[in-house]
Amino acid sequence: MRRTAVLGSAGTLMAGTLIAGAIAAPAAGADSGPGGTSEARGTRIAAERAANEGIDWADCPDGWGIPRPIQCGWVTVPLDYAHPGGRQIKLAVDRIGSTGTPAERQGALLYNPGGPGGSGLRFPTRVTNRNPIWANTAKAYDFVGFDPRGVGRSAPISCADPREFVKAPKADPVPRGEADKRAQRKLAAEYANGCAERSGWMLPHMTTPNTARDLDVIRAALGERKLNFLGVSYGTYIGAVYATLFPGHVRRMVVDSVVNPSREKIWYEANLDQDVAFQTRWNDWKAWVAANDAAFGLGDTPAKVERQWQRLRAAAAKAPLGGVVGPAELIGFFQSAPYYDSSWAPVARIWSAYAAGDPQPLIDAAAPDPSDTAGNAAAENGNAVYTAVECADAKWPTSWKKWDRDNTRLHRNNPFMTWANAWLNLPCATWPAKQHTPVDVTSGKGLPGVLIVQSARDAATPYEGAVELRKRLRGSRLITERDAGSHGVTGLVNPCVNRRVDAYLIGGALDGRDVTCEPHATPKP
C-alpha cells in the first residue's frame, strides 16, 4: 500500500481459453458507495453490456512483455457509473487457462497486487513460470490479471513529467526547521495541481468503489456468474469494498495483508498507523542484521546498527552518494527490508559493501536510472494512481497544523518513515477534485466466508486491519502468521498457510475457527 518513491506493493497475472457462451451476469447487488443506487444501476447496465460483448482474446502486444500462451484483451467500462452511457474507458486484462482437466476447472481467479497503482498483468506468469505454490490452484482456475483504471494500459493517468519525477537527489524528508516544511508543502501543492492539469478528467472517478465496480464488469465480461478473487495489500480493500457492494456476486475471496477498512482509518489515520508498523519492522530487521554481524559487519547490537544507519543518512545528506543518493533515495531503497523478508539479506549485503568502503552497489541500487524511460513512466504513473485513489476515497485534513502536530509527535519514536510518508500523502490536503466518503465495509446478504491472511508484524498493512476486517465480514476466517512481518503472505512458502489457501480456493473449505501458523523460515544471511 504505497507510492513508488516511498511506500510499496507487489503484483502478477495469466491467460487461456474460456468456455464460450458462459452464463450471463446476475443483477448487481446493493451499492452503498459514492452515489449509491445510481451507480448500482450503472454497474448493472455496464455488466450486462460486457457479458454480451465478452472479451476478444489475442496474443499480447509485443511491447507488453507478456509471454504466450498468456492472452490479452480489453473490457470497456463507464468513466462514471452514474452515467453509464457517457464517456467510456478501456481496461487491459490478460489470462491463462487452467492447467487441470475440464472436470477440475472452476472458472476464473482474478487478482490485484495492491498499490493503489499496482498492475496485475503479471499474475498469469505464476503459471508460465511454474510457481509451485500456485500449482494446485492453477489446475482449477484460469488466472486473470488486469490493470485497474488509471494504471498502466488502462487509461493511465499522470501528475508529472516522468523525467522530473525521478530526478535525484530529492530533499531530505526529515525537516530541519520551518523552512524545510514550507518547501515540502509547496512541492505537495504543486504535485496536486499537476494531477489536475494532466489528468483532471479522471480524478473524480479514481475511487476504490469504482474499481470494485470495474471488477464486477470484468467478471461479467469473462462470463463468470460469481467472482473468485485474490487481493494483496491495497487489493484487500478493493475486495472488502466489492464484498460490501456485491455480496451476492462473491464465490471465493482471499485477502492477504489487509488494509484497515474502517471509515475512520481510510486513509489519513491508516498512514499514521503505517509509520508505527514500519518502525517496528525496521527494528526487527536491525536485530537480524546484528545477530548476523559476522556476515555483514554493521554492528553486533541493534543500537550499533542504528548508529550505522544514522551515519549513512548524515553522510548522504551532506554529500549525496554519487551525486544522486541522498536521504530520500536511501529510504526508497532501505524500505524494502521492512516490507519483505526476501530483501533482508540483499539490502544488508549492499549496505555492508558501503561500510567496507565500496559505495557503488548502494549507488546503483538506490539511484534512479534516467535512461529507463519505460520504467520511469511506470513509476510516475504508479505514484499518480496512489495519490489519486487515496485522495479521492476520503476527505483528508486540510489544516497544516494537524499534519504538523501528528507527524511531529509520531516522528519522535518512529523516525524511519514518518516524515517521508507525510510528504507522500500531503497532496491530499489541497486536492483539486472531489473527495468522497468511504464505503462502510460490512457483510451483506449472500456473502460467503472470506479467507483473510496476515502476518502479525506487517509494516505496510498493520495487523489490526486484518482483525477489523474479520469482525466486519461475518463467517470469515483469519490465518495469522505469528512472529513474522513479510508483506504478502500467500506468496511465501509456509505449508500451514499454503495448504489452507489451496483448500479454500479449490474446495471452499474454511477452518472452524481462526488459525495461527508458525512463521515461515527466517532469511539466511
Side-chain angles (χ1 to χ4, degrees):
M1 196 188 78
R2 249 195 298 168
R3 285 213 299 230
T4 310
V6 180
L7 300 161
S9 65
T12 8
L13 14 132
M14 269 188 154
T17 304
L18 298 177
I19 298 173
I23 304 169
D31 186 333
S32 57
T37 55
S38 61
E39 275 81 0
R41 176 179 173 274
T43 308
R44 270 198 305 275
I45 292 170
E48 289 167 0
R49 189 164 57 212
N52 290 330
E53 293 175 357
I55 301 172
D56 292 328
W57 295 108
D59 289 344
C60 300
D62 291 341
W64 290 22
I66 299 172
R68 288 182 290 181
I70 299 171
Q71 295 179 305
C72 290
W74 301 94
V75 175
T76 301
V77 300
L79 175 66
D80 181 356
Y81 279 93
H83 301 95
R87 187 168 184 173
Q88 308 290 303
I89 58 176
K90 289 184 178 295
L91 306 182
V93 296
D94 67 353
R95 69 169 185 181
I96 194 165
S98 59
T99 61
T101 66
E104 290 176 299
R105 184 179 179 275
Q106 298 187 38
L109 175 65
L110 276 76
Y111 172 78
N112 180 273
S119 168
L121 292 182
R122 301 300 301 170
F123 182 53
T125 64
R126 295 189 185 185
V127 177
T128 57
N129 292 338
R130 294 179 170 83
N131 187 317
I133 294 173
W134 298 97
N136 292 329
T137 299
K139 292 179 182 178
Y141 293 97
D142 307 331
F143 279 20
V144 177
F146 69 103
D147 276 352
R149 59 172 54 205
V151 176
R153 312 288 176 182
S154 297
I157 67 168
S158 171
C159 293
D161 183 326
R163 293 168 297 183
E164 293 297 317
F165 177 74
V166 301
K167 269 188 180 177
K170 292 182 168 36
D172 187 341
V174 179
R176 292 165 297 180
E178 291 303 313
D180 286 352
K181 292 178 182 178
R182 285 194 297 271
Q184 292 281 10
R185 291 171 64 189
K186 182 174 182 288
L187 289 173
E190 289 172 350
Y191 187 83
N193 290 335
C195 294
E197 291 169 6
R198 297 170 75 97
S199 304
W201 66 280
M202 281 278 283
L203 297 187
H205 311 291
M206 288 293 297
T207 66
T208 301
N210 275 339
T211 296
R213 295 175 185 121
D214 293 344
L215 189 58
D216 201 57
V217 176
I218 294 171
R219 170 198 61 75
L222 290 166
E224 297 290 325
R225 183 167 181 78
K226 294 198 174 186
L227 177 74
N228 304 295
F229 180 71
L230 169 63
V232 182
S233 192
Y234 167 70
T236 67
Y237 188 53
I238 297 173
V241 171
Y242 184 93
T244 301
L245 301 185
F246 308 102
H249 291 192
V250 178
R251 180 176 179 267
R252 308 267 163 79
M253 181 176 288
V254 178
V255 288
D256 171 5
S257 304
V258 179
V259 170
N260 193 321
S262 166
R263 279 178 160 178
E264 289 68 37
K265 295 293 185 181
I266 302 296
W267 284 101
Y268 179 78
E269 292 291 337
N271 278 282
L272 297 180
D273 292 345
Q274 193 181 59
D275 299 336
V276 177
F278 258 96
Q279 189 68 43
T280 298
R281 197 58 178 161
W282 173 253
N283 293 342
D284 289 347
W285 181 62
K286 288 187 300 183
W288 179 85
V289 171
N292 291 283
D293 186 51
F296 304 122
L298 294 166
D300 58 5
T301 68
K304 291 179 181 177
V305 176
E306 176 66 22
R307 283 196 292 272
Q308 285 271 28
W309 165 247
Q310 293 301 334
R311 282 196 289 270
L312 172 59
R313 270 191 107 268
K318 183 177 180 180
L321 313 181
V324 289
V325 176
E329 290 71 35
L330 289 177
I331 291 174
F333 170 64
F334 275 85
Q335 70 175 352
S336 64
Y339 243 107
Y340 307 110
D341 292 5
S342 60
S343 293
W344 279 17
V347 172
R349 281 197 297 270
I350 289 171
W351 188 11
S352 178
Y354 170 86
D358 182 6
Q360 197 59 47
L362 181 54
I363 295 169
D364 293 342
D369 178 2
S371 68
D372 183 10
T373 304
N376 294 334
E380 191 281 321
N381 169 245
N383 200 73
V385 174
Y386 170 94
T387 308
V389 172
E390 293 210 0
C391 294
D393 266 356
K395 295 173 175 64
W396 286 69
T398 57
S399 165
W400 167 246
K401 287 184 178 180
K402 177 172 177 57
W403 286 77
D404 194 15
R405 181 179 64 249
D406 289 346
N407 287 282
T408 298
R409 172 183 55 82
L410 265 184
H411 175 77
R412 292 190 192 107
N413 295 320
N414 307 280
F416 177 69
M417 189 62 87
T418 296
W419 278 113
N421 204 10
W423 307 130
L424 180 69
N425 293 289
L426 190 59
C428 296
T430 59
W431 196 239
K434 182 176 181 179
Q435 295 181 320
H436 299 271
T437 299
V439 168
D440 185 17
V441 169
T442 187
S443 290
K445 183 179 179 181
L447 182 68
V450 171
L451 182 61
I452 303 168
V453 187
Q454 179 80 29
S455 63
R457 301 177 72 80
D458 190 310
T461 51
Y463 183 72
E464 292 73 21
V467 174
E468 181 68 22
L469 187 61
R470 169 71 176 86
K471 292 176 184 174
R472 288 169 177 263
L473 299 186
R474 188 172 54 252
S476 61
R477 291 291 179 268
L478 170 60
I479 300 174
T480 300
E481 190 185 31
R482 72 169 184 82
D483 299 332
S486 202
H487 192 60
V489 181
T490 55
L492 303 173
V493 176
N494 186 332
C496 177
V497 175
N498 304 147
R499 67 172 179 264
R500 285 180 166 86
V501 172
D502 274 353
Y504 173 73
L505 287 174
I506 296 168
L510 288 171
D511 287 281
R513 62 185 66 186
D514 294 342
V515 173
T516 299
C517 291
E518 294 295 310
H520 63 275
T522 302
K524 298 184 185 303

